[in-house]
Amino acid sequence: MKRSLTGIKPTGDIHLGNYIGAIKPALKLAANHESYYFVANGHGLTKPHQKEELHALTKGVVASWLALGLDPNQTTLYRQSDIPEVFELSWILATLSPKGLMNRAHAYKAMVDENEANSRELDAGINMGLFTYPILMAADILLVEPDVVPVGKDQMQHIEIARDLGLALRNQHKVTVKLPEPYIMEDVAVLPGLDGRKMSKSYGNTIPLFVEKNELKKRIYKIKTDSLPPSAPKDPATSTIYMLYKQFATTEEVKGLEGAFQEGIGWGDAKGELFRVANRELEEPRELYKEWLANSEKMERVLEDGADRVRQVSVPFLQTIKKELGLT
């Protein structure tokens, strides 16, 4: 069975876009892969934060994945900071990484471009953690030797950098290292948010995944629509409501709402239908999420067990690398 690896950064409340675009597809891999999932809390240090906030966000990510169907008995769930070999390997990889490779990293380039557009110093607000985070990500990947890493097309560079650094280990130090392949999630939906733009925390247009039933309904009824009267035919292909509805409804329900759009339906009724199917799918995970959050000790045991499994792989692998580099 091939091994897959998925990393989740604790950056805030998980929303519908995260769920449909990343979590659901990644969980499907567990059916035919030896699946590893980790919370990338070390990456969270690249931005100013309070320890209580990072701790709470990490717990929220763990509880979310467990509530949404991740089975810790069939998969491996762990916390990045529990694997010291990741950070040690990151330094080794940094010595093999040309600075120019990091200059071309998308996140760094985006911040430089933003600074330039706002007439700031090009590296204003950029710490070395953010500049070199692709190296830490490469260490995350190479250390557990996955066959595939599921990514969207916009994340391909992460895998390319990991492969480049893996090749450097091979060529310069004769280390046998597996080069992972990207698992491109071609059919992953990019969900629109409340204002029609891509659902994103940076736009403030999200629908958090585990809000209570009444709050979920309130958020859905805030979705921006046009001023067409209820009797007017509507194009489902351009409707945020319809695009969200398709992710939760059955095939027959989707056909039914599509017909209602074409015949004429009031936006309030359409939003009511969206709330019905979304709440139906999220009702049970919402309760499980609360149960997991209330049982920190149980979550901690899951993470400790996951870390033990990972270190069975990572410790001997890093020892081999250190031996080949002359460090032991």
Side-chain angles (χ1 to χ4, degrees):
M1 184 178 287
K2 289 187 175 182
R3 180 178 295 170
S4 68
L5 175 72
T6 300
I8 314 105
K9 189 174 177 180
T11 57
D13 289 337
I14 290 176
H15 55 74
L16 293 190
N18 301 140
Y19 173 50
I20 298 299
I23 296 176
K24 261 187 150 180
L27 288 175
K28 285 181 181 178
L29 284 179
N32 51 16
H33 287 75
E34 179 190 3
S35 296
Y36 284 62
Y37 304 89
F38 72 96
V39 185
N41 58 339
H43 288 284
L45 300 180
T46 61
K47 292 185 178 181
H49 68 282
Q50 298 295 322
K51 67 176 184 180
E52 294 82 5
E53 179 189 24
L54 182 58
H55 187 244
L57 289 173
T58 300
K59 285 179 60 178
V61 168
V62 175
S64 296
W65 281 76
L66 291 168
L68 291 167
L70 189 150
D71 184 348
N73 297 313
Q74 301 296 323
T75 60
T76 299
L77 176 63
Y78 62 101
R79 184 169 41 208
Q80 181 190 38
S81 58
D82 289 336
I83 315 298
E85 296 78 26
V86 169
F87 303 97
E88 194 170 352
L89 179 58
S90 181
W91 170 248
I92 292 171
L93 295 178
T95 69
L96 301 173
S97 177
K99 179 176 178 291
L101 186 61
M102 295 300 99
N103 289 342
R104 296 190 292 275
H106 295 327
Y108 171 66
K109 285 177 64 179
M111 289 197 71
V112 168
D113 290 344
E114 182 181 341
N115 284 337
E116 186 175 24
N118 289 280
S119 301
R120 296 190 290 255
E121 290 290 330
L122 293 185
D123 285 329
I126 299 174
N127 58 53
M128 287 303 296
L130 188 141
F131 181 66
T132 62
Y133 95 91
I135 299 174
L136 180 57
M137 190 174 294
D140 290 323
I141 294 170
L142 296 176
L143 196 64
V144 298
E145 302 187 276
D147 297 283
V148 296
V149 179
V151 291
K153 289 182 179 179
D154 60 337
Q155 298 171 316
M156 272 289 295
Q157 189 188 52
H158 300 158
I159 313 304
E160 293 166 356
I161 290 175
R163 287 175 60 87
D164 286 345
L165 296 180
L167 280 171
L169 275 174
R170 276 188 184 180
N171 297 334
Q172 296 182 40
H173 298 288
K174 311 306 178 187
V175 174
T176 301
V177 56
K178 183 177 288 185
L179 302 181
E181 295 290 338
Y183 181 90
I184 305 298
M185 299 183 287
E186 298 279 3
D187 57 347
V188 169
V190 177
L191 289 195
L194 300 178
D195 57 2
R197 294 182 293 176
K198 175 184 175 180
M199 191 175 293
S200 170
K201 287 186 283 287
S202 61
Y203 293 149
N205 65 354
T206 65
I207 301 176
L209 197 59
F210 295 116
V211 290
E212 292 294 340
K213 179 178 178 179
N214 289 340
E215 181 62 21
L216 175 63
K217 186 173 185 178
K218 182 179 176 182
R219 295 282 184 128
I220 286 173
Y221 273 78
K222 286 183 177 179
I223 293 174
K224 185 178 179 181
T225 55
D226 58 36
S227 57
L228 286 173
S231 59
K234 299 169 181 66
D235 181 5
T238 62
S239 168
T240 296
I241 297 168
Y242 180 78
M243 283 184 261
L244 292 172
Y245 184 84
K246 286 196 302 181
Q247 305 303 322
F248 298 100
T250 65
T251 302
E252 287 303 310
E253 286 173 330
V254 171
K255 288 180 180 178
L257 187 65
E258 185 175 351
F261 265 70
Q262 293 166 349
E263 293 171 8
I265 184 173
W267 290 124
D269 291 337
K271 290 175 181 179
E273 278 299 298
L274 170 57
F275 167 71
R276 180 181 65 82
V277 296
N279 187 64
R280 179 180 65 194
E281 181 164 327
L282 299 175
E283 201 161 21
E284 183 178 354
R286 184 190 302 136
E287 295 308 309
L288 290 172
Y289 174 74
K290 288 188 283 189
E291 290 176 17
W292 278 108
L293 279 184
N295 198 334
S296 294
E297 291 184 3
K298 188 176 180 181
M299 276 200 295
E300 197 62 31
R301 287 196 298 271
V302 169
L303 293 173
E304 288 173 358
D305 181 60
D308 287 343
R309 282 186 248 170
V310 172
R311 298 198 73 203
Q312 291 175 20
V313 175
S314 66
V315 171
F317 181 62
L318 184 64
Q319 284 301 113
T320 299
I321 292 175
K322 290 170 71 174
K323 183 177 180 180
E324 293 298 328
L325 268 67
L327 293 174
T328 60

